[in-house]
């Protein structure tokens, strides 16, 4: 979980978007609690997605990095949706 937080923090800080970096910092506790409720395959999937982002950034492939980030955000949203839907309203 610590590496995950470090990864997201690094991306947000180096992405040049101060608002996104601040929002992510404020969500840290919430995202950590969410991760505690899920099985290890979620972590495995997220690590795979992070790897694709890092590979694209390391290669200087902006379009591939953007696509990898969109894929990660989309997958993360799909992972969290059932959890949010199960909360009482």
């Amino acid at each position: 979980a610590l590496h995950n937080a470090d990864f997201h923090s690094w991306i947000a800080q180096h992405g040049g978007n101060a608002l996104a970096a601040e929002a992510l910092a404020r969500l840290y506790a919430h995202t950590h609690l969410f991760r505690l409720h899920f099985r290890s395959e979620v972590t495995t999937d997220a690590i795979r997605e992070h790897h694709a982002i890092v590979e694209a950034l390391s290669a200087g492939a902006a379009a591939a990095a953007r696509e990898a980030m969109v894929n990660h955000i989309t997958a993360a949203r799909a992972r969290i949706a059932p959890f949010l839907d199960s909360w009482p309203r």
Side-chain angles (χ1 to χ4, degrees), residues 24-46:
L24 187 61
R26 290 175 185 261
L27 288 173
Y28 173 75
H30 303 287
T31 56
H32 183 65
L33 289 171
F34 168 75
R35 281 190 300 272
L36 291 174
H37 285 85
F38 285 86
R39 300 175 307 274
S40 63
E41 71 249 16
V42 170
T43 301
T44 303
D45 292 343

Side-chain angles (χ1 to χ4, degrees), residues 5-88:
D6 289 345
F7 174 79
H8 286 111
S9 178
W10 188 90
I11 292 290
Q13 290 172 1
H14 289 83
N17 187 332
L19 181 60
E22 181 180 342
L24 187 61
R26 290 175 185 261
L27 288 173
Y28 173 75
H30 303 287
T31 56
H32 183 65
L33 289 171
F34 168 75
R35 281 190 300 272
L36 291 174
H37 285 85
F38 285 86
R39 300 175 307 274
S40 63
E41 71 249 16
V42 170
T43 301
T44 303
D45 292 343
I47 290 170
R48 189 177 314 113
E49 294 158 13
H50 290 173
H51 182 70
I53 294 166
V54 170
E55 276 191 351
L57 290 173
S58 296
R66 181 184 186 285
E67 181 179 345
M69 185 64 75
V70 168
N71 289 341
H72 177 51
I73 291 168
T74 302
R77 183 176 184 198
R79 285 190 289 268
I80 199 170
F83 180 73
L84 295 176
D85 289 344
S86 69
W87 281 17

